[in-house]
Amino acid sequence: MMPKVNVNIQPAIIRWALSQTSAEDLGAKLMDNIKHWLDGTKSPTFHQIENFSKKSHIPLGYFFLKTPPEEQIDLLEYRTVDSTELMNPSRDLIDMIHEMEVVQDWMVDYRKEWDYDVISFVGSLKDVTDINEIADIIRNDLGLGVKWHKECANSSEAFNKVRSLLEECGIIVMINGIVGKNTHRALDVNEFRAFAIVNEWAPLIFINGADSAGGRLFSLFHEIVHLWIGENDLYNDRRYSANVKPNEVICNAVAGELIAPKAVFLERWNSNTNSDIHEKIKELARIFCCSGSVIARRALDNNQIDQILYDQIIAEAIEAYNQAKLEKTSGGNYYRTMCSKLDSVFVRALCESVNSGRTSFTEAYRLTNTTSKTFPEVASRLGGVLW
């Protein structure tokens, strides 16, 4: 049996670590120990600090600093925050951002090494504020028709169609509802729905997979606009916030226009004779392969419903999402799920790099949250070839 090794941890570090997690995650026993560490009646052992690190998801090395670390996460500057609850980002969000930054950095290096051209549309609409002009240019750049929704059966098909067009343009689109492959670290859709990291070599969009199908589609379009105007974004959809930045208003409006163009929307709205507005919105949501929230917003913006009804519809949509989340069962096809999380162009690039000896298999597993057993199958399903 190994002897206990006590370590000297600064109280300020312990307090900071406590602020980064919850008592529920740490457990009663560890919380009791922490109380004694802070009042000086006990000293932690190395094993206890390891446990603290594991449960709080804080890197072990941080505990041995003299003062709390100043984590510089540029993307967090782009949040819209309207409550104390959201002031401090969760470790889940922080780790998810870091994970995607690693993916993007790898892709940037890969494309530079293989002499790819920069992606010209990134930031191409920096100074444009006209909603229709932005929407028209994005449609043209993506090859997306005004009535593209007719080619899809539902929100999931619509999402996959747009995602494929983005991948063809060189945009990385990643999805996950958990941090890495840790099912105990579910991402909170109330904290963020998506984020976009601008880069002319490898722009990246991350979608919170915990969101509804309709929510993911809107978030995807919202972040597309951010890439075209050349601005990073952490989209947390503070729907009732008074602190909405001008660019967020533009991105939301363009996203709505891309999903349900005004002329087509009004034509469908006026030709629908259903006197029940709620049913009418559901019918149009099916037609445009989106959420009822998007249709309600289009109706509000075009003076077809009032603010009171809109707020009611949104409240009902939130309630329906929460109920569906409670009723959701685990399971499903492992490989189908893994493939949906990863960008196919990124995986194919990884395969090429592994084949050429520039990237190790171990690195490929780390970047894709796979193993030696699962990576070849995932890669094959996404069009990757391993020699």
Side-chain angles (χ1 to χ4, degrees):
M1 184 176 178
M2 293 183 63
K4 291 183 178 180
V5 179
N6 289 94
V7 290
N8 182 28
I9 306 296
Q10 296 296 322
I13 295 293
I14 296 175
R15 292 190 186 93
W16 171 80
L18 276 175
S19 74
Q20 300 292 300
T21 188
S22 68
E24 183 182 357
D25 289 338
L26 297 179
K29 184 178 179 179
L30 181 54
M31 285 299 296
D32 186 56
N33 284 330
I34 291 171
K35 179 183 176 182
H36 290 301
W37 301 342
L38 289 173
D39 66 22
T41 56
K42 288 184 180 180
S43 294
T45 65
F46 183 77
H47 175 71
Q48 287 172 328
I49 293 300
E50 276 189 315
N51 187 39
F52 195 175
S53 170
K54 182 179 180 181
K55 288 189 172 183
S56 64
H57 309 296
I58 294 172
L60 182 61
Y62 283 10
F63 286 90
F64 297 92
L65 298 174
K66 291 184 178 180
T67 57
E70 293 184 11
E71 295 178 289
Q72 191 63 40
I73 306 171
D74 295 339
L75 194 62
L76 293 176
E77 297 176 10
Y78 296 88
R79 290 189 302 169
T80 298
V81 177
D82 62 355
S83 69
T84 304
E85 175 188 345
L86 294 175
M87 286 298 290
N88 294 318
S90 69
R91 295 306 310 178
D92 295 336
L93 172 56
I94 290 171
D95 290 350
M96 201 70 254
I97 292 173
H98 286 324
E99 186 178 321
M100 289 302 104
E101 287 175 336
V102 170
V103 167
Q104 185 180 58
D105 288 345
W106 186 92
M107 199 63 166
V108 169
D109 291 342
Y110 169 84
R111 285 178 170 167
K112 286 182 176 180
E113 186 177 2
W114 289 81
D115 294 324
Y116 277 66
D117 292 328
V118 297
I119 299 172
S120 60
F121 57 72
V122 176
S124 61
L125 302 181
K126 181 179 179 181
D127 299 317
V128 182
T129 57
D130 182 85
I131 305 302
N132 293 320
E133 183 180 356
I134 295 173
D136 287 343
I137 292 173
I138 291 176
R139 279 196 203 98
N140 184 64
D141 288 345
L142 288 179
L144 195 67
V146 173
K147 297 184 178 181
W148 66 275
H149 57 273
K150 287 188 171 184
E151 302 167 21
C152 309
N154 51 46
S155 296
S156 295
E157 280 194 16
F159 182 94
N160 290 334
K161 175 180 175 60
V162 177
R163 182 183 191 178
S164 295
L165 294 174
L166 292 171
E167 290 178 346
E168 289 175 15
C169 294
I171 297 174
I172 304 167
V173 181
M174 304 284 276
I175 309 171
N176 209 339
I178 58 176
V179 180
K181 50 186 176 182
N182 189 338
T183 55
H184 297 291
R185 299 186 67 187
L187 299 175
D188 185 0
V189 76
N190 292 311
E191 182 176 29
F192 82 104
R193 292 178 178 271
F195 58 77
I197 311 177
V198 173
N199 182 283
E200 62 181 352
W201 294 94
L204 182 145
I205 293 174
F206 177 82
I207 301 294
N208 187 341
D211 207 350
S212 64
R216 291 194 293 269
L217 178 64
F218 186 83
S219 294
L220 183 63
F221 275 113
H222 180 95
E223 301 301 22
I224 286 170
V225 186
H226 271 282
L227 294 184
W228 260 256
I229 66 177
E231 180 187 69
N232 289 345
D233 180 53
L234 179 50
Y235 180 47
N236 55 336
D237 188 26
R238 306 318 300 161
R239 196 176 302 277
Y240 300 108
S241 173
N243 181 31
V244 179
K245 301 170 185 175
N247 273 352
E248 288 302 288
V249 175
I250 290 174
C251 291
N252 282 336
V254 175
E257 178 63 22
L258 289 168
I259 293 172
K262 180 177 180 178
V264 184
F265 166 76
L266 287 176
E267 178 187 348
R268 286 287 188 174
W269 182 274
N270 293 327
S271 63
N272 188 303
T273 57
N274 198 324
S275 59
D276 185 329
I277 295 295
H278 289 78
E279 287 302 315
K280 190 171 186 174
I281 287 173
K282 286 180 182 178
E283 290 172 13
L284 264 68
R286 285 193 290 271
I287 290 171
F288 287 100
C289 302
C290 63
S291 68
S293 300
V294 171
I295 297 301
R297 185 73 216 190
R298 299 302 281 156
L300 176 67
D301 290 343
N302 288 285
N303 302 313
Q304 302 302 311
I305 63 173
D306 60 25
Q307 187 70 46
I308 295 174
L309 180 55
Y310 172 76
D311 291 343
Q312 179 188 337
I313 292 167
I314 295 303
E316 290 171 356
I318 293 172
E319 177 61 29
Y321 165 79
N322 290 333
Q323 187 61 37
K325 189 177 177 183
L326 290 173
E327 296 171 357
K328 185 177 180 181
T329 57
S330 58
N333 183 287
Y334 171 82
Y335 286 108
R336 186 181 300 119
T337 301
M338 278 302 303
C339 290
S340 71
K341 293 178 178 181
L342 298 167
D343 181 276
S344 62
V345 175
F346 168 63
V347 171
R348 291 197 292 272
L350 263 179
C351 291
E352 290 178 11
S353 190
V354 167
N355 291 335
S356 67
R358 290 175 168 85
T359 297
S360 68
F361 274 102
T362 301
E363 178 73 353
Y365 306 153
R366 186 177 70 86
L367 287 166
T368 55
N369 291 308
T370 56
T371 65
S372 58
K373 178 183 177 181
T374 58
F375 179 71
E377 178 65 22
V378 169
S380 175
R381 291 184 180 217
L382 291 175
V385 177
L386 292 169
W387 297 340

